[in-house]
Amino acid sequence: MIRYDVADAVATITLDRPDAMNSLTAEVKTALLEALRRAAADPGVRAVLLTGSGRAFCAGQDLREHAANLEAGRALDDTVRRHYNPIIELITTMDQPVVAAVNGVAAGAGAALAFACDLRVAAEKAKFALAFGGIGLAPDSGASWTLQRLVGLGRATELLLLGEPVDAARALELGLVTRVVPADEVLKTAHELAVRLAQGPTRAFGATKRALAHAAGHSLPETLALEADLQDACVATDDHVRATASFLAKERPVFHGR
């Protein structure tokens, strides 16, 4: 249900339940978290590509499993805390940039999964649906946090309350996605973007992710203090020292993620 491949320092993680639109059971969520942890801990992986197989990116929670839990009196079965929260936290905090190749429908937690990634390449046929309200639920998987940072509070409120699908062209206009390409080019384009990121200063990218997340909820003085700490850490990296020397020698820097 999860495929994991590494090439060109990019770990490609594929949700592989095409017959179920890559919806998320407890088993799939556990495997996805394990794959993300594997990528985050591997120094040979310097970018991550997340995608789905078949016609969907991810349709969100598997509602058949959820209905069975409700019938058995298990409600959410604590899946938000056990599965969704750690998945989103890891995507947003790992040093490696994470690129989503949104090949089709991304709904509910599946849309939130894409929004947690650093960059999103969408197929022309892709659609996003914040469908939580349609089944009487509030947003989870960080959607209330990521969505308003991508499109603003007003748009985020509209998307979450109305739950109307957003096609790829509108998603690009709103800033939900980075690029929109033909369906047969989405994986190739996303992989090329991930390879480009994998050739960069991985630890500096991680510091940049932390700085952006912190700045979204803290004052300017607090942000300046964190930036100073992060620069102290980055200036001690091998990548920074070598890149500075390359700049002075008028050579193109080669980064090793160290």
Side-chain angles (χ1 to χ4, degrees):
M1 289 177 283
I2 295 288
R3 287 190 277 117
Y4 185 96
D5 305 284
V6 178
D8 303 316
V10 175
T12 298
I13 300 173
T14 305
L15 300 171
D16 197 17
R17 294 187 73 213
D19 293 343
M21 297 182 70
N22 302 316
S23 58
L24 301 167
T25 62
E27 186 177 2
V28 174
K29 286 174 279 191
T30 298
L32 175 58
L33 182 57
E34 290 174 354
L36 289 166
R37 285 172 172 164
R38 177 179 174 185
D42 186 349
V45 170
R46 295 173 57 198
V48 175
L49 174 59
L50 182 61
T51 193
S53 62
R55 61 192 177 94
F57 174 74
C58 176
Q61 173 64 38
D62 185 303
L63 291 183
R64 291 182 182 276
E65 181 183 78
H66 178 58
N69 285 336
L70 290 177
E71 187 175 347
R74 291 193 295 269
L76 289 172
D77 199 29
D78 206 33
T79 191
V80 174
R81 295 180 182 85
R82 289 193 298 122
H83 298 126
Y84 288 121
N85 288 358
I87 287 169
I88 299 304
E89 287 176 7
L90 186 51
I91 289 173
T92 55
T93 59
M94 65 169 62
D95 280 349
Q96 298 96 325
V98 184
V99 178
V102 185
N103 51 302
V105 173
L113 189 62
F115 298 153
C117 297
D118 300 300
L119 299 173
R120 286 154 297 283
V121 177
E124 290 173 338
K125 65 177 183 179
K127 288 187 178 181
F128 296 88
L130 279 303
F132 299 100
I135 55 172
L137 291 176
D140 60 32
S141 304
S144 62
W145 195 92
T146 55
L147 187 59
Q148 65 176 303
R149 283 160 176 77
L150 290 171
V151 303
L153 176 59
R155 290 293 190 195
T157 303
E158 176 186 347
L159 292 172
L160 287 167
L161 293 184
L162 297 181
E164 295 174 348
V166 178
D167 64 23
R170 180 61 172 157
L172 182 63
E173 180 184 340
L174 290 173
L176 285 173
V177 299
T178 310
R179 298 179 188 175
V180 174
V181 299
D184 60 354
E185 296 179 15
V186 64
L187 192 57
K188 176 177 178 291
T189 302
H191 186 262
E192 289 173 350
L193 189 56
V195 169
R196 176 180 171 184
L197 292 167
Q199 295 171 347
T202 310
R203 291 179 62 184
F205 286 160
T208 300
K209 291 172 66 168
R210 287 190 288 278
L212 288 169
H214 181 274
H218 291 79
S219 68
L220 177 59
E222 291 170 313
T223 299
L224 292 172
L226 179 66
E227 286 182 346
D229 291 340
L230 293 172
Q231 287 293 48
D232 285 343
C234 286
V235 79
T237 64
D238 182 69
D239 275 347
H240 170 70
V241 172
R242 290 177 179 271
T244 302
S246 295
F247 178 83
L248 294 175
K250 298 183 178 180
E251 298 173 348
R252 184 182 180 89
V254 177
F255 298 104
H256 299 281
R258 301 191 295 271

PDB file of all heavy atoms in Angstrom, residues 121-142:
ATOM      1  N   VAL A 121       3.216  20.214  -7.072  1.00  0.00           N
ATOM      2  CA  VAL A 121       3.031  20.214  -8.518  1.00  0.00           C
ATOM      3  C   VAL A 121       1.737  19.460  -8.795  1.00  0.00           C
ATOM      4  O   VAL A 121       1.592  18.314  -8.384  1.00  0.00           O
ATOM      5  CB  VAL A 121       4.210  19.539  -9.246  1.00  0.00           C
ATOM      6  CG1 VAL A 121       3.960  19.495 -10.755  1.00  0.00           C
ATOM      7  CG2 VAL A 121       5.516  20.265  -8.941  1.00  0.00           C
ATOM      8  N   ALA A 122       0.803  20.098  -9.483  1.00  0.00           N
ATOM      9  CA  ALA A 122      -0.506  19.496  -9.704  1.00  0.00           C
ATOM     10  C   ALA A 122      -0.721  19.201 -11.182  1.00  0.00           C
ATOM     11  O   ALA A 122      -0.318  19.975 -12.055  1.00  0.00           O
ATOM     12  CB  ALA A 122      -1.612  20.420  -9.208  1.00  0.00           C
ATOM     13  N   ALA A 123      -1.374  18.087 -11.443  1.00  0.00           N
ATOM     14  CA  ALA A 123      -1.825  17.787 -12.798  1.00  0.00           C
ATOM     15  C   ALA A 123      -3.005  18.682 -13.143  1.00  0.00           C
ATOM     16  O   ALA A 123      -3.741  19.133 -12.261  1.00  0.00           O
ATOM     17  CB  ALA A 123      -2.228  16.312 -12.896  1.00  0.00           C
ATOM     18  N   GLU A 124      -3.173  18.952 -14.427  1.00  0.00           N
ATOM     19  CA  GLU A 124      -4.282  19.807 -14.867  1.00  0.00           C
ATOM     20  C   GLU A 124      -5.633  19.266 -14.408  1.00  0.00           C
ATOM     21  O   GLU A 124      -6.571  20.024 -14.196  1.00  0.00           O
ATOM     22  CB  GLU A 124      -4.261  19.939 -16.383  1.00  0.00           C
ATOM     23  CG  GLU A 124      -3.083  20.770 -16.901  1.00  0.00           C
ATOM     24  CD  GLU A 124      -2.976  20.749 -18.414  1.00  0.00           C
ATOM     25  OE1 GLU A 124      -3.512  19.807 -19.039  1.00  0.00           O
ATOM     26  OE2 GLU A 124      -2.349  21.674 -18.975  1.00  0.00           O
ATOM     27  N   LYS A 125      -5.730  17.950 -14.247  1.00  0.00           N
ATOM     28  CA  LYS A 125      -7.004  17.327 -13.847  1.00  0.00           C
ATOM     29  C   LYS A 125      -7.162  17.243 -12.327  1.00  0.00           C
ATOM     30  O   LYS A 125      -8.198  16.769 -11.843  1.00  0.00           O
ATOM     31  CB  LYS A 125      -7.093  15.922 -14.432  1.00  0.00           C
ATOM     32  CG  LYS A 125      -6.046  14.966 -13.875  1.00  0.00           C
ATOM     33  CD  LYS A 125      -6.196  13.554 -14.418  1.00  0.00           C
ATOM     34  CE  LYS A 125      -5.181  12.604 -13.796  1.00  0.00           C
ATOM     35  NZ  LYS A 125      -5.331  11.227 -14.289  1.00  0.00           N
ATOM     36  N   ALA A 126      -6.162  17.678 -11.582  1.00  0.00           N
ATOM     37  CA  ALA A 126      -6.217  17.556 -10.118  1.00  0.00           C
ATOM     38  C   ALA A 126      -7.319  18.443  -9.539  1.00  0.00           C
ATOM     39  O   ALA A 126      -7.639  19.510 -10.075  1.00  0.00           O
ATOM     40  CB  ALA A 126      -4.874  17.925  -9.507  1.00  0.00           C
ATOM     41  N   LYS A 127      -7.879  17.997  -8.422  1.00  0.00           N
ATOM     42  CA  LYS A 127      -8.855  18.784  -7.692  1.00  0.00           C
ATOM     43  C   LYS A 127      -8.601  18.645  -6.194  1.00  0.00           C
ATOM     44  O   LYS A 127      -8.194  17.584  -5.724  1.00  0.00           O
ATOM     45  CB  LYS A 127     -10.283  18.324  -8.001  1.00  0.00           C
ATOM     46  CG  LYS A 127     -10.769  18.701  -9.385  1.00  0.00           C
ATOM     47  CD  LYS A 127     -12.239  18.360  -9.549  1.00  0.00           C
ATOM     48  CE  LYS A 127     -12.731  18.792 -10.923  1.00  0.00           C
ATOM     49  NZ  LYS A 127     -14.179  18.489 -11.103  1.00  0.00           N
ATOM     50  N   PHE A 128      -8.848  19.743  -5.491  1.00  0.00           N
ATOM     51  CA  PHE A 128      -8.722  19.750  -4.037  1.00  0.00           C
ATOM     52  C   PHE A 128     -10.109  19.959  -3.436  1.00  0.00           C
ATOM     53  O   PHE A 128     -10.877  20.794  -3.903  1.00  0.00           O
ATOM     54  CB  PHE A 128      -7.800  20.881  -3.578  1.00  0.00           C
ATOM     55  CG  PHE A 128      -6.381  20.735  -4.059  1.00  0.00           C
ATOM     56  CD1 PHE A 128      -5.993  21.258  -5.289  1.00  0.00           C
ATOM     57  CD2 PHE A 128      -5.444  20.075  -3.296  1.00  0.00           C
ATOM     58  CE1 PHE A 128      -4.693  21.124  -5.730  1.00  0.00           C
ATOM     59  CE2 PHE A 128      -4.133  19.929  -3.726  1.00  0.00           C
ATOM     60  CZ  PHE A 128      -3.761  20.463  -4.953  1.00  0.00           C
ATOM     61  N   ALA A 129     -10.404  19.190  -2.399  1.00  0.00           N
ATOM     62  CA  ALA A 129     -11.696  19.322  -1.724  1.00  0.00           C
ATOM     63  C   ALA A 129     -11.480  19.247  -0.222  1.00  0.00           C
ATOM     64  O   ALA A 129     -10.990  18.236   0.282  1.00  0.00           O
ATOM     65  CB  ALA A 129     -12.658  18.230  -2.178  1.00  0.00           C
ATOM     66  N   LEU A 130     -11.817  20.325   0.460  1.00  0.00           N
ATOM     67  CA  LEU A 130     -11.754  20.327   1.927  1.00  0.00           C
ATOM     68  C   LEU A 130     -13.104  19.858   2.438  1.00  0.00           C
ATOM     69  O   LEU A 130     -13.970  20.640   2.804  1.00  0.00           O
ATOM     70  CB  LEU A 130     -11.414  21.721   2.441  1.00  0.00           C
ATOM     71  CG  LEU A 130      -9.934  22.125   2.414  1.00  0.00           C
ATOM     72  CD1 LEU A 130      -9.072  21.148   3.196  1.00  0.00           C
ATOM     73  CD2 LEU A 130      -9.403  22.243   0.998  1.00  0.00           C
ATOM     74  N   ALA A 131     -13.264  18.542   2.423  1.00  0.00           N
ATOM     75  CA  ALA A 131     -14.581  17.929   2.590  1.00  0.00           C
ATOM     76  C   ALA A 131     -14.941  17.604   4.037  1.00  0.00           C
ATOM     77  O   ALA A 131     -15.913  16.879   4.279  1.00  0.00           O
ATOM     78  CB  ALA A 131     -14.628  16.648   1.755  1.00  0.00           C
ATOM     79  N   PHE A 132     -14.212  18.124   4.985  1.00  0.00           N
ATOM     80  CA  PHE A 132     -14.465  17.774   6.388  1.00  0.00           C
ATOM     81  C   PHE A 132     -15.898  18.099   6.810  1.00  0.00           C
ATOM     82  O   PHE A 132     -16.581  17.293   7.431  1.00  0.00           O
ATOM     83  CB  PHE A 132     -13.480  18.513   7.304  1.00  0.00           C
ATOM     84  CG  PHE A 132     -12.036  18.186   7.051  1.00  0.00           C
ATOM     85  CD1 PHE A 132     -11.233  19.035   6.316  1.00  0.00           C
ATOM     86  CD2 PHE A 132     -11.478  17.018   7.546  1.00  0.00           C
ATOM     87  CE1 PHE A 132      -9.898  18.744   6.079  1.00  0.00           C
ATOM     88  CE2 PHE A 132     -10.150  16.709   7.326  1.00  0.00           C
ATOM     89  CZ  PHE A 132      -9.362  17.575   6.578  1.00  0.00           C
ATOM     90  N   GLY A 133     -16.349  19.319   6.488  1.00  0.00           N
ATOM     91  CA  GLY A 133     -17.678  19.740   6.902  1.00  0.00           C
ATOM     92  C   GLY A 133     -18.783  18.898   6.300  1.00  0.00           C
ATOM     93  O   GLY A 133     -19.852  18.751   6.893  1.00  0.00           O
ATOM     94  N   GLY A 134     -18.520  18.328   5.112  1.00  0.00           N
ATOM     95  CA  GLY A 134     -19.520  17.524   4.441  1.00  0.00           C
ATOM     96  C   GLY A 134     -19.893  16.268   5.197  1.00  0.00           C
ATOM     97  O   GLY A 134     -20.962  15.681   4.956  1.00  0.00           O
ATOM     98  N   ILE A 135     -19.030  15.840   6.106  1.00  0.00           N
ATOM     99  CA  ILE A 135     -19.344  14.681   6.942  1.00  0.00           C
ATOM    100  C   ILE A 135     -19.380  15.071   8.425  1.00  0.00           C
ATOM    101  O   ILE A 135     -19.217  14.242   9.308  1.00  0.00           O
ATOM    102  CB  ILE A 135     -18.365  13.507   6.710  1.00  0.00           C
ATOM    103  CG1 ILE A 135     -16.908  13.947   6.905  1.00  0.00           C
ATOM    104  CG2 ILE A 135     -18.559  12.912   5.328  1.00  0.00           C
ATOM    105  CD1 ILE A 135     -15.927  12.790   6.882  1.00  0.00           C
ATOM    106  N   GLY A 136     -19.590  16.371   8.648  1.00  0.00           N
ATOM    107  CA  GLY A 136     -19.795  16.832  10.024  1.00  0.00           C
ATOM    108  C   GLY A 136     -18.559  16.844  10.889  1.00  0.00           C
ATOM    109  O   GLY A 136     -18.650  16.661  12.104  1.00  0.00           O
ATOM    110  N   LEU A 137     -17.414  17.086  10.274  1.00  0.00           N
ATOM    111  CA  LEU A 137     -16.171  17.122  11.043  1.00  0.00           C
ATOM    112  C   LEU A 137     -15.468  18.469  10.883  1.00  0.00           C
ATOM    113  O   LEU A 137     -15.659  19.169   9.884  1.00  0.00           O
ATOM    114  CB  LEU A 137     -15.222  16.010  10.588  1.00  0.00           C
ATOM    115  CG  LEU A 137     -15.633  14.575  10.912  1.00  0.00           C
ATOM    116  CD1 LEU A 137     -14.634  13.596  10.308  1.00  0.00           C
ATOM    117  CD2 LEU A 137     -15.742  14.365  12.420  1.00  0.00           C
ATOM    118  N   ALA A 138     -14.648  18.804  11.859  1.00  0.00           N
ATOM    119  CA  ALA A 138     -13.737  19.943  11.750  1.00  0.00           C
ATOM    120  C   ALA A 138     -12.483  19.491  10.998  1.00  0.00           C
ATOM    121  O   ALA A 138     -12.236  18.294  10.850  1.00  0.00           O
ATOM    122  CB  ALA A 138     -13.363  20.427  13.148  1.00  0.00           C
ATOM    123  N   PRO A 139     -11.671  20.434  10.511  1.00  0.00           N
ATOM    124  CA  PRO A 139     -10.445  20.037   9.811  1.00  0.00           C
ATOM    125  C   PRO A 139      -9.441  19.378  10.746  1.00  0.00           C
ATOM    126  O   PRO A 139      -9.410  19.653  11.943  1.00  0.00           O
ATOM    127  CB  PRO A 139      -9.904  21.364   9.263  1.00  0.00           C
ATOM    128  CG  PRO A 139     -10.513  22.418  10.127  1.00  0.00           C
ATOM    129  CD  PRO A 139     -11.855  21.886  10.518  1.00  0.00           C
ATOM    130  N   ASP A 140      -8.636  18.486  10.168  1.00  0.00           N
ATOM    131  CA  ASP A 140      -7.521  17.897  10.897  1.00  0.00           C
ATOM    132  C   ASP A 140      -6.318  17.855   9.973  1.00  0.00           C
ATOM    133  O   ASP A 140      -6.292  18.513   8.933  1.00  0.00           O
ATOM    134  CB  ASP A 140      -7.880  16.512  11.461  1.00  0.00           C
ATOM    135  CG  ASP A 140      -8.256  15.498  10.390  1.00  0.00           C
ATOM    136  OD1 ASP A 140      -7.723  15.560   9.268  1.00  0.00           O
ATOM    137  OD2 ASP A 140      -9.082  14.601  10.677  1.00  0.00           O
ATOM    138  N   SER A 141      -5.305  17.115  10.366  1.00  0.00           N
ATOM    139  CA  SER A 141      -4.079  16.968   9.573  1.00  0.00           C
ATOM    140  C   SER A 141      -3.435  18.315   9.253  1.00  0.00           C
ATOM    141  O   SER A 141      -2.800  18.482   8.218  1.00  0.00           O
ATOM    142  CB  SER A 141      -4.370  16.205   8.275  1.00  0.00           C
ATOM    143  OG  SER A 141      -4.966  14.959   8.548  1.00  0.00           O
ATOM    144  N   GLY A 142      -3.627  19.262  10.147  1.00  0.00           N
ATOM    145  CA  GLY A 142      -2.988  20.565  10.008  1.00  0.00           C
ATOM    146  C   GLY A 142      -3.639  21.495   9.016  1.00  0.00           C
ATOM    147  O   GLY A 142      -3.107  22.586   8.765  1.00  0.00           O
TER     148      GLY A 142
END
